[in-house]
Amino acid sequence: MVIERFTRGARPVYERAAERGRMLPPGLEYVDSWIDERRLDRCFQLMETDAPSLFDEWIAAWDDLVEFEVVPVIDSAAAAVAFRA
């Protein structure tokens, strides 16, 4: 899960995305995203990869407009198995 905080507002982020796309390196996959409904200044993105280092390349393309927090997550079923072990 990636939490993005738009440091210069949402407009420049959406403009760049419209011009250049998500700019994801091969192997980093976008799944879905949600925007903070009240303030429109945060985006919560679900991403998938087998190579977490790919986040660094993607973040570098956006770090002038966005602060990133990358939170590794597992689904509830995997968590339940982990707690039983």
Side-chain angles (χ1 to χ4, degrees):
M1 177 69 68
V2 177
I3 303 168
E4 299 179 343
R5 290 174 182 83
F6 305 147
T7 58
R8 295 173 41 198
R11 182 176 305 277
V13 174
Y14 281 97
E15 288 173 348
R16 182 175 297 170
E19 291 172 8
R20 302 183 198 171
R22 293 186 187 278
M23 298 189 290
L24 296 171
L28 181 58
E29 303 296 325
Y30 166 83
V31 177
D32 206 349
S33 61
W34 303 265
I35 303 294
D36 179 329
E37 182 178 21
R38 284 182 262 154
R39 297 181 4 202
L40 302 174
D41 67 345
R42 291 185 301 172
C43 179
F44 303 87
Q45 292 198 50
L46 186 58
M47 312 287 282
E48 290 182 335
T49 187
D50 291 326
S53 63
L54 294 175
F55 281 105
D56 295 335
E57 183 179 340
W58 176 59
I59 288 170
W62 292 96
D63 68 354
D64 60 321
L65 300 177
V66 180
E67 290 178 355
F68 292 86
E69 180 181 358
V70 178
V71 181
V73 297
I74 57 176
D75 63 30
S76 297
V81 168
F83 280 111
R84 285 193 294 261

